[in-house]
Amino acid sequence: MAQYDIIFLKNNAVSGVSYTEFYLSKPPSNGYALTQKKDTGQICWEPALMAMGELEGSDDLNDCLQTGFYMLKGSKLQSAPKYTEGILVVWANPEVGVVFQTAYVIPGTAGLNTGMMFVRHITDAHNEWTEWSEVRLNAGISQSGENANSLLRVENVTGDYIIQADDHGKFIRWAYDRIGDKITLPLDSHTDVPIGTMVIFQHLNPNTIYSYFEGMYEVGGDEVIILSTGGRTQFKEELSVVTAVKTGPNEWALYGDLQ
């Protein structure tokens, strides 16, 4: 699809002709939507999740580098996770040179009808994809009480919180009770959190000025790498929901209602 520069003209005159011109360059690639910056109201391009088509046959998932989602069909897809029937969601952040891929797939095993999720990413710095990490929800008890079912574990916490090794599959409703409280993403040397761990947080306080995520670090040693759009680590507003995913050694990805 062709992409063009856009020029906006605003008529400033009560009578006659007097105008100001605003020039907007074409988007950097496909998958961008025309919107406004939330702080200034200026018109701009932002990555937008939109239907990008179907992938099947010999299509290579490594080539999917533009924000949007794809329908996955067939068993011959290249660079795909364990199963290839489902949806691939891509989020590209040109500001920091990182592309996330999340594959929601359906196993082909008879009798196994629950979906699975796989995540991976690529950065300009490394220029190679990480391995697909399978994200599993802890098994709970279904309403019938007879079969295992994947259920989120809902938990209420207050104050400082450090993600624990067994937090995968939790929906944590978090409220700080003093200025400076935060959610900490741990170093591997501090807490051995498995890669692929996913924890969902909901912020319960109306004031979000001091509520944020922070990565651990060692003086003169390792530090946690946080991957998020625009480097954002703060909850946007009351009841905002943010998901944290362990994507590699000492590396976490954040996405959701961030500012």
Side-chain angles (χ1 to χ4, degrees):
M1 181 177 179
Q3 297 171 349
Y4 301 95
D5 299 334
I6 299 176
I7 298 177
F8 296 89
L9 300 178
K10 178 184 177 182
N11 186 9
N12 301 318
V14 177
S15 61
V17 177
S18 175
Y19 64 89
T20 55
E21 179 179 299
F22 174 70
Y23 177 84
L24 181 64
S25 299
K26 64 184 180 182
S29 63
N30 291 338
Y32 279 72
L34 192 62
T35 184
Q36 290 180 291
K37 292 183 178 180
K38 64 179 182 180
D39 51 350
T40 65
Q42 183 177 347
I43 295 174
C44 63
W45 297 106
E46 287 288 349
L49 282 177
M50 57 188 296
M52 303 294 283
E54 297 181 354
L55 298 175
E56 56 185 343
S58 60
D59 288 335
D60 192 341
L61 271 62
N62 284 351
D63 297 333
C64 300
L65 303 176
Q66 297 175 346
T67 295
F69 63 90
Y70 304 78
M71 296 300 299
L72 303 180
K73 296 184 176 182
S75 58
K76 297 181 180 180
L77 291 172
Q78 299 181 44
S79 308
K82 190 174 182 180
Y83 303 100
T84 57
E85 295 283 343
I87 299 174
L88 176 72
V89 178
V90 181
W91 179 259
N93 185 347
E95 295 179 8
V96 294
V98 63
V99 179
F100 295 96
Q101 287 188 345
T102 304
Y104 300 90
V105 298
I106 303 172
T109 306
L112 185 58
N113 57 8
T114 56
M116 304 175 72
M117 184 171 79
F118 296 83
V119 297
R120 68 172 183 165
H121 73 274
I122 186 174
T123 64
D124 288 346
H126 297 91
N127 198 31
E128 62 181 12
W129 288 101
T130 60
E131 295 294 328
W132 284 105
S133 296
E134 182 180 341
V135 179
R136 291 180 176 270
L137 297 180
N138 287 342
I141 303 300
S142 65
Q143 292 180 349
S144 65
E146 297 176 356
N147 302 308
N149 185 25
S150 294
L151 298 174
L152 292 173
R153 295 170 291 157
V154 179
E155 183 175 316
N156 293 296
V157 300
T158 59
D160 276 330
Y161 189 80
I162 300 176
I163 293 179
Q164 302 299 306
D166 62 348
D167 277 352
H168 177 67
K170 283 186 178 180
F171 186 100
I172 296 178
R173 305 173 75 243
W174 179 70
Y176 67 86
D177 54 14
R178 64 184 185 276
I179 293 176
D181 286 343
K182 58 189 176 297
I183 296 170
T184 300
L185 309 173
L187 283 167
D188 292 351
S189 59
H190 180 276
T191 306
D192 187 16
V193 179
I195 294 175
T197 292
M198 179 179 68
V199 192
I200 304 172
F201 292 89
Q202 183 178 44
H203 186 274
L204 298 184
N205 284 60
N207 189 339
T208 61
I209 295 177
Y210 303 102
S211 59
Y212 59 97
F213 292 81
E214 180 180 82
M216 275 187 181
Y217 66 93
E218 297 172 343
V219 177
D222 293 333
E223 62 179 313
V224 167
I225 299 172
I226 300 178
L227 303 173
S228 66
T229 301
R232 301 180 181 99
T233 59
Q234 185 179 329
F235 287 96
K236 185 176 181 180
E237 57 191 353
E238 184 180 11
L239 302 182
S240 286
V241 174
V242 174
T243 300
V245 179
K246 178 75 175 293
T247 53
N250 294 328
E251 181 183 271
W252 290 81
L254 298 178
Y255 62 93
D257 298 332
L258 292 164
Q259 65 176 0

